[in-house]
């Protein structure tokens, strides 16, 4: 038998090992190793075997990432026109600022079937997209589960209407910064997505108690609720958060009307892991102690800027949550005495990040 040459070994390595490694680092199931679309294209230049792997491996063609790229709209249309992207599941256009309604309409006209398997669509920061574009793109993806349109003031309740009409399976919705969405839009979400798990309403400033109450009474499976910088709500709505027995994350930063009564109701959400009460200026020790006594799995807590809390609430938290809390912010809490690092670590031995007033 002839002895294998180094050239033979290199050829075997290129044909067998390189594609296997390529599949590993590009797998969508391995987030710690996954590469961006740009990185994938760069890797294609390394070896013809990599190119063949891309063409033959279905998982590598299930994600399109044009985040922050120029000419992303045309690139997306071109990609979706290729046979290998007929079953794409994830599209990321975050901060791809040139994407317009015309691109999404063209996709509907030319590549309609390519999005039938799409489950995740990120349009964050695509400020040139309006309700017209939302109608076009959502009509193509009936299996959509995760939809994000953060920071888009052109999207209104009409865009939400198109979304709920076309996409029946959404469980993760981010409309943060969509300042023209009103109670009507939230009502549509409440009526059509009873299985919603995550909702971000950050800076949706036109919402009122009525809209939020309808949502909380119907979307009972919510695990994450972000109400950051929506100061119009009152305890009339906040008390309904207690209905969300699966809630783990809630951001109430800037909830200026939240009182201890509302917070005591929220304490019924016993699975809370993360609670942001930054600038909830009406809250006192009583509300925080209620949280401490009921939400014993708490890992993150911000009391930033609340002058009505004292060391008393920290003592209560240390008695029930000391083994879990890793992040604590009491910066600006003038009622809490200055504590050294060692003193705080005695109360919360697993703290990794904490802030106290100077």
């Amino acid at each position: 038998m002839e002895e294998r040459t180094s050239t033979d070994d290199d050829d075997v390595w290129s044909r067998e090992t390189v594609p296997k490694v390529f599949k590993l680092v590009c797998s969508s199931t391995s987030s710690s190793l996954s590469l961006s679309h740009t990185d994938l294209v760069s890797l294609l230049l390394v070896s013809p075997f990599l190119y063949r792997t891309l063409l033959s491996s279905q998982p590598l063609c299930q994600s399109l990432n044009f985040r922050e790229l120029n000419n992303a709209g045309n690139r997306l249309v071109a990609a979706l026109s290729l046979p290998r992207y007929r079953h794409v599941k994830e599209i990321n256009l975050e901060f791809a600022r040139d994407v317009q309604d015309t691109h999404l309409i063209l996709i509907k006209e030319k590549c309609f079937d390519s999005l039938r398997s799409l489950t995740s669509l990120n349009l964050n920061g695509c400020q040139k997209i309006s309700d017209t574009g939302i109608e076009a793109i959502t009509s193509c993806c009936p299996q959509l589960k995760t939809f994000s349109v953060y920071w888009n003031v052109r999207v209104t309740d009409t865009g939400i209407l198109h979304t709920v009409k076309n996409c029946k399976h959404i469980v993760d919705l981010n409309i943060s910064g969509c300042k023209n969405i009103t109670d009507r839009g939230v009502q549509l979400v409440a009526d059509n997505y009873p299985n919603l798990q995550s909702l971000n309403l950050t800076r949706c400033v036109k919402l009122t108690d009525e809209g939020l109450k309808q949502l909380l009474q119907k979307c009972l499976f919510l695990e994450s609720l972000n109400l950051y910088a929506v100061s119009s709500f009152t305890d009339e709505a906040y008390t309904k958060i207690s209905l969300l027995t699966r809630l783990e994350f809630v951001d109430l930063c800037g909830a200026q009307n939240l009182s201890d009564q509302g917070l005591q109701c929220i304490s019924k959400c016993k699975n809370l892991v993360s609670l942001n009460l930054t600038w909830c200026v009406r809250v006192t020790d009583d509300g925080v102690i209620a949280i401490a006594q009921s939400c014993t799995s708490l890992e993150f807590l911000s009391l930033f800027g609340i002058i009505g809390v004292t060391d008393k609430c920290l003592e209560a938290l240390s008695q029930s949550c000391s083994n879990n809390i890793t992040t604590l912010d009491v910066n600006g809490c003038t009622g809490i005495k200055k504590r050294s690092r060692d003193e705080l670590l005695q109360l919360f031995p697993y703290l990794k990040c904490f802030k106290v007033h100077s």
Side-chain angles (χ1 to χ4, degrees), residues 23-305:
K23 287 183 180 181
L24 174 64
V25 300
C26 300
S27 171
S28 59
T29 59
S30 180
S31 58
S32 62
L33 294 173
S34 61
L35 300 180
S36 70
H37 185 265
T38 304
D39 292 333
L40 290 178
V41 173
S42 299
L43 278 174
L44 294 182
L45 303 176
V46 174
S47 164
F49 296 103
L50 293 180
Y51 181 76
R52 293 170 192 169
T53 299
L54 179 64
L55 293 181
S56 63
S57 178
Q58 188 63 45
L60 299 182
C61 302
Q62 291 181 349
S63 178
L64 286 170
N65 186 354
F66 296 106
R67 187 180 190 276
E68 297 184 334
L69 294 185
N70 294 326
N71 200 29
N74 291 330
R75 292 186 184 191
L76 177 62
V77 174
L80 292 177
S81 300
L82 300 174
R84 64 173 173 269
Y85 288 113
R86 283 289 174 84
H87 303 285
V88 64
K89 291 187 176 181
E90 300 177 1
I91 293 178
N92 185 356
L93 294 170
E94 187 170 52
F95 301 120
R97 301 182 185 278
D98 73 295
V99 178
Q100 303 180 35
D101 288 343
T102 52
H103 294 116
L104 304 185
I105 293 171
L106 187 59
I107 288 172
K108 179 180 179 180
E109 294 174 349
K110 303 292 186 180
C111 317
F112 185 86
D113 291 337
S114 296
L115 300 183
R116 306 301 289 176
S117 300
L118 193 72
T119 59
S120 177
L121 177 60
N122 187 336
L123 300 178
N124 288 344
C126 297
Q127 298 183 16
K128 295 181 180 180
I129 294 175
S130 70
D131 294 334
T132 301
I134 297 296
E135 179 182 20
I137 196 67
T138 58
S139 68
C140 304
C141 42
Q143 301 304 316
L144 198 63
K145 293 183 177 180
T146 299
F147 186 36
S148 185
V149 286
Y150 157 80
W151 195 25
N152 189 321
V153 297
R154 300 183 68 190
V155 172
T156 70
D157 295 336
T158 301
I160 299 297
L161 177 61
H162 295 317
T163 301
V164 301
K165 178 182 177 181
N166 295 324
C167 307
K168 305 295 185 182
H169 307 292
I170 288 180
V171 294
D172 186 341
L173 179 63
N174 183 353
I175 50 177
S176 168
C178 297
K179 297 181 179 181
N180 287 314
I181 290 177
T182 71
D183 287 345
R184 176 173 172 263
V186 171
Q187 180 74 61
L188 289 167
V189 172
D191 290 340
N192 289 276
Y193 297 136
N195 295 318
L196 196 66
Q197 297 174 11
S198 178
L199 178 63
N200 192 332
L201 298 175
T202 292
R203 293 193 173 89
C204 291
V205 294
K206 292 187 177 181
L207 301 184
T208 71
D209 279 350
E210 291 306 311
L212 183 58
K213 284 193 297 183
Q214 289 297 315
L215 182 81
L216 298 174
Q217 290 168 344
K218 295 183 178 181
C219 298
L220 299 178
F221 292 95
L222 277 170
E223 298 175 4
S224 176
L225 178 63
N226 197 328
L227 302 176
Y228 181 99
V230 187
S231 59
S232 56
F233 301 135
T234 71
D235 277 349
E236 183 180 350
Y238 290 131
T239 55
K240 300 297 182 182
I241 294 178
S242 63
L243 298 172
L244 308 180
T245 58
R246 301 189 181 193
L247 195 64
E248 296 182 1
F249 171 98
V250 62
D251 192 331
L252 299 171
C253 176
Q256 298 178 9
N257 298 316
L258 175 67
S259 72
D260 288 335
Q261 179 184 357
L263 195 54
Q264 286 165 356
C265 290
I266 293 172
S267 72
K268 295 179 182 179
C269 302
K270 298 183 182 297
N271 293 316
L272 273 184
V273 173
S274 177
L275 176 61
N276 188 354
L277 297 175
T278 296
W279 293 120
C280 293
V281 294
R282 294 183 60 194
V283 168
T284 72
D285 284 336
D286 291 342
V288 179
I289 289 173
I291 291 291
Q293 293 174 342
S294 297
C295 305
T296 55
S297 298
L298 206 60
E299 297 177 7
F300 173 100
L301 177 63
S302 176
L303 303 174
F304 182 101

